[in-house]
């Protein structure tokens, strides 16, 4: 990312990641470059995220 950022400073990227990279350190790194992201989050590896989303859906009803 540092090379892309240096060589193309005005480029606005949206990076895509699979579940292997959807974690806090990767999100912090992507955000530090000002990029956006889309990440896959499987329920088996992100149980607390799915619980939070389910709770928000329940409260919205």
């Amino acid at each position: 990312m540092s090379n892309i950022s240096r060589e193309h400073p005005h480029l606005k990227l949206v990076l895509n990641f699979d579940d292997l990279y959807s974690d806090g350190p990767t999100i912090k790194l992507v955000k530090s470059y000002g990029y956006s992201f889309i990440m896959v989050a499987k329920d088996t590896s992100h149980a607390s995220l799915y619980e939070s989303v389910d709770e928000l859906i329940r409260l919205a009803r």
Side-chain angles (χ1 to χ4, degrees):
M1 277 190 265
S2 63
N3 289 343
I4 293 170
S5 179
R6 186 182 67 253
E7 294 173 12
H8 306 282
H10 302 293
L11 191 62
K12 302 293 183 195
L13 294 178
V14 177
L15 304 174
N16 298 301
F17 296 93
D18 70 3
D19 186 66
L20 292 173
Y21 298 98
S22 57
D23 57 20
T26 303
I27 292 170
K28 286 179 185 176
L29 178 64
V30 172
K31 289 176 83 173
S32 75
Y33 285 97
Y35 298 149
S36 298
F37 57 89
I38 299 170
M39 294 187 170
V40 172
K42 294 182 181 177
D43 59 343
T44 54
S45 56
H46 294 85
S48 63
L49 172 65
Y50 273 76
E51 290 169 9
S52 296
V53 170
D54 288 342
E55 181 66 13
L56 288 171
I57 291 169
R58 186 186 68 75
L59 293 172
R61 291 183 181 164

